[in-house]
Amino acid sequence: MNTRQRMQALRRSGVGPVGMADAGGIAAVPEHPACVIGSGQSCEHSLVDRELNRQLFTYEQTVRGRFARIVGVLKQISAHQHDATFAERAQQLALEQLGFELPREVLDDAWVSGLDLRALHSHCIFNSLKLCVERASAEQAGWSQRLPIDSNLLHSCGYHTVDISPCADGRLQGIAPYVLRLLPAPNVRVKAYAGALFDVDGDVADWAQREVERLSGAMEDGDRLNYLKIAVYHLSSSNPGAQGCAAHGSNDRQATESALSRLDELREAIDRSFGVGAAPDVLLIGVDTDLDALRIHLPDAFGDVNPHRYIETGKIYRETLGLSAEAARVRIAEMIADVESTGGWGQGQGQMRDGMRRLVSALAEANLSQIEYVIKHHTGRYAVIGHDEECIVAGEAVRTLQLRNLFYFAHLDTVEEGAPDMDVGIKIFRNLNVAHGLPVPVLVHFEYDSRIPGSRQRAVDRACRVRDAIVGRYADLAKKGLLTCAMAVSDRNGDECCDFVADEAVADH
């Protein structure tokens, strides 16, 4: 794309320079907060890994394509449901265009009462997820090796484990590999909660387990490394009053302060339980989901986080665009130092420790690639700045599925404790699916430990209980055929990943 084409694309998407007008004299839309280009300029930053961006976009297109084809294929199949060879033709279409077969009984019964397109739609959603999981190793191999923030970098910053709790909103489901450019690994955990309001008791238990592993010597270099908890809230720069965090009524201030409050509660709980000074490091990050730009709040020397003390990667991109890589890194360091020394609301008690500063710098630099990714591949702002998820995943995360708006995730052990998260997800899908006559597809997924006898069966049993509770809680949808559940389990210490224990398992009520 040449400079003129890029500028035209940016103007169409609402990211062109202020003051410009088209040939008809129509006033330009507001400028993009990260990249305002002039004649002969382009949004190409010296610190951006464009090959990584290319590979990530290819992966995004591959995954999106699996789901984008579903409706069109089902429409083709529906048009032939009264043909004599309908079942065979339908299976052929599904295999050729979707990569899997359809349930034979649904096809065979179509002549009696019509084709159950709701059942087929859910079947296609779940089986497309299966394909994404099954092919993840091959499809993610190229870009995963290029992600700049890996275990080695985390260790160099002083962390053996990074536990991330983003909002359950589907727009944050690509938080690790895309937005943060962080390599998924056993020591990187992502557990999403509505509003980023993670369970403090559960996090204390997770921290304690890792402490046992560290103290037992099971963790390499554990004696000199720490645990880091990150909470990630989100906002919308182009429509803050409607497309912010639904759990906080699109109130950015409430989203920020609530996430920070959970981090403070976690530190206090661990200090009270295990002694002052035992608490892990914490970091608060905001994501503008229109652009995938970050707002990184800087801890002070005591690890305290102030909601008013932060750097913005959109501003960093804009102010360092056109600089050499070396000069850009120097300027990033200066901008971080400027915020650290800010008086008034942002004043903390001293500067961050060196390891935290190194991590903040790495996150800021890595996110510049994601900002440019959205500029180049999504014309500056995502076409859909709100919800566009394919399904709900409830229980524990499927680690290989990490892509923006692929699914809404509700981390839970029981439906009762995860009710607020599930309610938000169901509300979203009442608009996305139910309003159009389609069911809400819910994948109930739990992990097990193959080293522990009977662990897999207990995970299956838990999935059954959660599935039944979901159907019971949303009985109005289930009775109308507007809620479909599937169950899957994964071995957290083995090769089995998202193995479906039932294709379509809905309890009878």
Side-chain angles (χ1 to χ4, degrees):
M1 181 183 290
N2 61 35
T3 300
R4 180 179 180 183
Q5 290 173 323
R6 182 178 291 107
M7 293 178 70
Q8 289 174 338
L10 292 173
R11 286 201 297 273
R12 285 196 302 272
S13 62
V15 296
V18 167
M20 295 180 63
D22 62 21
I26 300 174
V29 292
E31 68 178 30
H32 188 280
C35 183
V36 181
I37 58 176
S39 177
Q41 295 179 321
S42 63
C43 293
E44 293 183 350
H45 198 285
S46 60
L47 293 177
V48 166
D49 186 340
R50 291 182 188 82
E51 174 58 23
L52 174 57
N53 279 359
R54 186 192 66 78
Q55 292 183 18
L56 284 169
F57 185 61
T58 297
Y59 176 72
E60 179 185 354
Q61 288 181 305
T62 299
V63 173
R64 297 287 183 209
R66 291 194 178 109
F67 295 92
R69 290 189 290 269
I70 291 174
V71 171
V73 171
L74 291 182
K75 286 182 177 180
Q76 290 183 60
I77 290 173
S78 177
H80 298 284
Q81 63 182 292
H82 300 296
D83 295 351
T85 59
F86 165 66
E88 290 73 19
R89 186 168 186 175
Q91 292 290 28
Q92 182 181 358
L93 277 170
L95 280 170
E96 290 177 352
Q97 299 189 41
L98 300 178
F100 50 79
E101 291 187 336
L102 301 175
R104 183 77 191 194
E105 63 277 9
V106 175
L107 302 180
D108 289 342
D109 293 343
W111 71 275
V112 179
S113 55
L115 189 60
D116 189 345
L117 289 169
R118 289 176 176 172
L120 291 182
H121 184 267
S122 293
H123 176 88
C124 291
I125 293 291
F126 292 136
N127 277 271
S128 294
L129 283 177
K130 279 186 183 181
L131 286 178
C132 292
V133 172
E134 291 169 358
R135 300 178 184 178
S137 179
E139 293 175 348
Q140 298 176 4
W143 57 258
S144 64
Q145 299 304 311
R146 295 184 68 100
L147 291 174
I149 302 180
D150 57 14
S151 294
N152 290 331
L153 188 143
L154 295 176
H155 286 173
S156 73
C157 295
Y159 301 110
H160 59 71
T161 300
V162 175
D163 188 299
I164 306 170
S165 284
C167 179
D169 191 294
R171 291 169 288 182
L172 292 179
Q173 291 312 313
I175 186 69
Y178 281 82
V179 181
L180 301 180
R181 300 297 168 102
L182 174 60
L183 179 65
N187 66 324
V188 176
R189 303 177 176 188
V190 180
K191 299 178 298 181
Y193 298 82
L197 299 178
F198 59 87
D199 176 36
V200 173
D201 290 337
D203 269 68
V204 171
D206 290 341
W207 171 86
Q209 179 182 347
R210 292 296 281 173
E211 276 296 286
V212 169
E213 295 176 10
R214 182 182 70 83
L215 295 172
S216 68
M219 190 182 296
E220 184 179 356
D221 294 328
D223 58 330
R224 64 180 184 85
L225 301 176
N226 199 0
Y227 188 104
L228 175 63
K229 177 68 183 185
I230 302 177
V232 184
Y233 66 94
H234 64 103
L235 59 142
S236 168
S237 57
S238 63
N239 194 355
Q243 296 298 342
C245 183
H248 296 294
S250 289
N251 185 318
D252 295 346
R253 178 178 178 180
Q254 181 177 320
T256 305
E257 294 179 349
S258 296
L260 177 55
S261 178
R262 287 298 166 101
L263 291 175
D264 290 340
E265 289 171 16
L266 175 64
R267 296 176 71 203
E268 182 179 2
I270 292 176
D271 273 348
R272 285 187 174 187
S273 301
F274 298 92
V276 175
D281 286 355
V282 297
L283 188 62
L284 179 65
I285 296 177
V287 178
D288 179 351
T289 53
D290 297 0
L291 321 168
D292 280 350
L294 298 181
R295 179 186 291 174
I296 307 176
H297 297 259
L298 307 184
D300 64 15
F302 294 93
D304 294 329
V305 177
N306 188 304
H308 305 282
R309 178 181 174 178
Y310 55 81
I311 58 171
E312 294 179 293
T313 56
K315 180 180 180 181
I316 289 174
Y317 185 101
R318 182 174 67 248
E319 293 197 12
T320 58
L321 185 64
L323 298 180
S324 68
E326 181 180 358
R329 289 193 177 102
V330 170
R331 181 59 187 138
I332 291 172
E334 291 174 348
M335 295 176 76
I336 292 173
D338 288 344
V339 173
E340 282 190 289
S341 60
T342 299
W345 280 104
Q347 182 62 58
Q349 300 186 56
Q351 297 182 338
M352 296 179 285
R353 68 174 187 82
D354 291 342
M356 177 62 78
R357 183 180 295 103
R358 191 178 305 118
L359 178 61
V360 167
S361 298
L363 289 170
E365 179 176 327
N367 182 248
L368 301 182
S369 288
Q370 182 63 16
I371 290 174
E372 194 165 300
Y373 176 92
V374 179
I375 290 172
K376 180 173 179 59
H377 297 297
H378 294 280
T379 61
R381 286 187 175 89
Y382 287 105
V384 178
I385 65 170
H387 294 282
D388 194 28
E389 297 94 331
E390 302 292 346
C391 67
I392 295 174
V393 176
E396 294 176 315
V398 182
R399 301 185 186 188
T400 54
L401 296 177
Q402 298 190 51
L403 185 66
R404 173 190 167 91
N405 263 351
L406 182 58
F407 58 88
Y408 173 93
F409 177 59
H411 180 88
L412 55 85
D413 291 316
T414 66
V415 171
E416 290 75 17
E417 69 172 348
D421 287 18
M422 281 301 303
D423 288 347
V424 171
I426 293 295
K427 179 180 179 181
I428 290 170
F429 273 84
R430 284 184 186 274
N431 293 324
L432 289 177
N433 283 27
V434 176
H436 303 285
L438 292 172
V440 181
V442 180
L443 173 63
V444 179
H445 172 261
F446 285 104
E447 292 185 337
Y448 69 93
D449 189 338
S450 57
R451 300 172 299 182
I452 302 174
S455 180
R456 187 182 192 280
Q457 186 56 52
R458 286 190 291 274
V460 172
D461 293 343
R462 178 194 288 182
C464 289
R465 290 193 299 271
V466 168
R467 175 206 62 194
D468 292 346
I470 289 172
V471 173
R473 184 173 182 84
Y474 309 107
D476 61 320
L477 295 176
K479 290 177 180 178
K480 298 175 183 177
L482 292 172
L483 178 69
T484 307
C485 295
M487 301 182 298
V489 295
S490 297
D491 182 0
R492 66 171 62 95
N493 292 301
D495 295 330
E496 185 178 40
C497 182
C498 199
D499 182 32
F500 279 64
V501 295
D503 290 333
E504 295 178 5
V506 178
D508 294 328
H509 283 256

